[in-house]
Amino acid sequence: MNPRRERGTSDSAPRNGARKPYTRPNSAQRSARENLSRRLREGDLRSEQQRPQRHIPVGLSTSSVFPAGVEECFRLSQSIGYDGVEVMVSYPEDSQDPRKLRAYVGRYQQPILSLHAPTLFFLQRLWGGDPWVKIERTVQLAVELEVPTVVAHPPFRWQGSYAREFVHGVAEIEERYGVAVAVENMYPWRLGVREVMVYLPDHDPTDEDYAHVTVDLSHAATAGDDALVLIEGLGERLTHLHLADGSGNSTKDEHLPPGEGNQPCAEVLRRLANSGWGGSVLVEVNTRPYRKEGQREQVLRQCLLFARHHLGHHLEDAQDGRDAQVGRDSKDATAADTVGSGTEV
């Protein structure tokens, strides 16, 4: 089944590289603080937590265990209790090798929920200089491994025709292979008091004609974007969520554990759970500062507990327990009635 959704009308046609200024005044940090202050003034009402309409899987990104390798991510994902992994395709051979990845899936009983294409700045030379090769080879790997989603960053401004044709090219690849290419929100780069607009069509993919989008909450913090506005505006086009936090007061992409920044991580998860959202949540946090024995695992366990709680997984378990008890009570009552009637059981 082709995962691509119905695309918009001509009113939502892609801008496809329309000329934008190279720089703009640095506004992201200020706007992030203003949005947070307003939200707090207005009470920041939290959605009522309901029993979720769907069990939303929570996976672990290989980026969360860097510089440890891909297999270590599978091992930790299994031991902690995640539902699967996201593999960042990178220079290590096993991140690109379908046989090794399939072996990890079988060994650790952890499905691959998504692949991240090597579209990061430091991966520009992986698989040669043609950026379309990076997208297409990752999608082909996803087809071979039966992975439904590939995450990709928007192009850099200097990537010429690739950047200008990116929106159309992503749609064509999705159509050809039947894999969702979920384009991720990014953020401007900062030079002093100016922001450098390094991405085309934009660092914010939400108003482009993409059928599938990934929202990264740490990137939203760095960009000064309102994550709730992003989520609500995307609707069904939201395919993937990278769960992390950020302060909004830094030029860095922090990828803090959820709850350690000022992003509405809990509220985002509640809204997705209440709506019956059909995507996956992938924990993508920076664990490099946690160097002592067992610290990384402890942080990743806390991230999972945070996600499961605010997605309402505990409510699913409670309801399943009640349903099971009702079934046992009904069976016991039937048996008792049968015994009372003198029939052998």
Side-chain angles (χ1 to χ4, degrees):
M1 179 178 176
N2 193 317
R4 292 191 61 237
R5 300 186 178 90
E6 191 72 26
R7 291 190 175 268
T9 64
S10 58
D11 292 338
S12 60
R15 295 196 298 265
N16 261 342
R19 185 176 179 82
K20 296 184 176 67
Y22 285 96
T23 68
R24 70 182 184 189
N26 189 345
S27 61
Q29 294 182 52
R30 183 180 68 251
S31 63
R33 288 195 295 268
E34 290 172 350
N35 289 342
L36 176 62
S37 297
R38 185 184 69 253
R39 200 178 297 284
L40 293 175
R41 285 197 307 271
E42 294 173 354
D44 195 20
L45 297 177
R46 301 175 83 184
S47 299
E48 180 181 353
Q49 191 163 42
Q50 306 166 7
R51 187 183 183 219
Q53 299 181 35
R54 170 181 174 264
H55 180 91
I56 296 173
V58 182
L60 180 64
S61 168
T62 55
S63 299
S64 294
V65 306
F66 182 83
V70 175
E71 185 172 8
E72 176 67 1
C73 179
F74 276 88
R75 186 192 70 78
L76 284 171
S77 183
Q78 180 196 47
S79 66
I80 296 171
Y82 281 86
D83 297 316
V85 302
E86 174 174 291
V87 175
M88 169 69 75
V89 177
S90 186
Y91 291 110
E93 182 185 352
D94 58 353
S95 72
Q96 313 169 23
D97 188 329
R99 290 172 298 178
K100 291 183 178 180
L101 291 173
R102 194 176 290 111
Y104 294 158
V105 169
R107 184 178 307 153
Y108 297 102
Q109 294 300 294
Q110 291 291 296
I112 301 175
L113 301 175
S114 49
L115 296 173
H116 198 309
T119 48
L120 283 71
F121 180 75
F122 73 91
L123 293 174
Q124 287 192 80
R125 302 312 301 173
L126 179 64
W127 292 342
D130 185 346
W132 281 122
V133 170
K134 304 177 193 301
I135 301 287
E136 190 155 8
R137 284 189 61 173
T138 308
V139 169
Q140 290 169 346
L141 183 61
V143 170
E144 186 165 356
L145 294 170
E146 298 182 333
V147 174
T149 304
V150 167
V151 178
H153 289 184
F156 295 108
R157 180 187 285 272
W158 58 79
Q159 289 182 297
S161 62
Y162 170 70
R164 293 190 298 273
E165 299 166 3
F166 185 71
V167 178
H168 173 76
V170 164
E172 190 276 329
I173 286 176
E174 287 186 318
E175 195 71 46
R176 183 150 37 102
Y177 289 101
V179 171
V181 179
V183 181
E184 187 170 3
N185 65 310
M186 296 301 292
Y187 47 87
W189 291 5
R190 306 247 168 74
L191 292 175
V193 297
R194 303 290 293 181
E195 294 179 348
V196 183
M197 312 306 289
V198 296
Y199 294 101
L200 279 179
D202 200 349
H203 71 272
D204 177 2
T206 59
D207 56 356
E208 300 296 336
D209 189 28
Y210 299 119
H212 304 91
V213 173
T214 295
V215 166
D216 183 303
L217 297 180
S218 176
H219 295 176
T222 307
D225 293 330
D226 187 322
L228 294 177
V229 171
L230 293 178
I231 298 296
E232 291 170 356
L234 284 168
E236 291 186 356
R237 294 198 300 144
L238 178 67
T239 306
H240 213 58
L241 182 78
H242 280 165
L243 179 61
D245 214 334
S247 68
N249 297 324
S250 171
T251 60
K252 297 179 180 179
D253 179 20
E254 297 169 290
H255 282 275
L256 302 174
E260 294 191 7
N262 63 22
Q263 291 303 287
C265 299
E267 178 65 14
V268 166
L269 294 174
R270 285 172 182 252
R271 292 190 186 189
L272 294 178
N274 289 348
S275 69
W277 178 60
S280 298
V281 171
L282 273 298
V283 170
E284 190 180 75
V285 296
N286 178 17
T287 60
R288 278 171 286 177
Y290 306 101
R291 299 177 180 177
K292 293 182 179 179
E293 182 70 25
Q295 275 191 328
R296 170 185 281 158
E297 186 167 351
Q298 181 181 2
V299 169
L300 295 178
R301 191 179 303 279
Q302 290 171 344
C303 291
L304 178 61
L305 291 173
F306 182 100
R308 291 205 186 284
H309 176 76
H310 292 291
L311 288 171
H313 289 184
H314 61 294
L315 300 179
E316 293 177 353
D317 295 340
Q319 184 62 49
D320 291 343
R322 287 192 291 270
D323 291 344
Q325 185 61 51
V326 168
R328 287 193 294 270
D329 291 346
S330 176
K331 183 176 180 180
D332 291 345
T334 301
D337 291 343
T338 303
V339 170
S341 67
T343 305
E344 293 184 1
V345 294

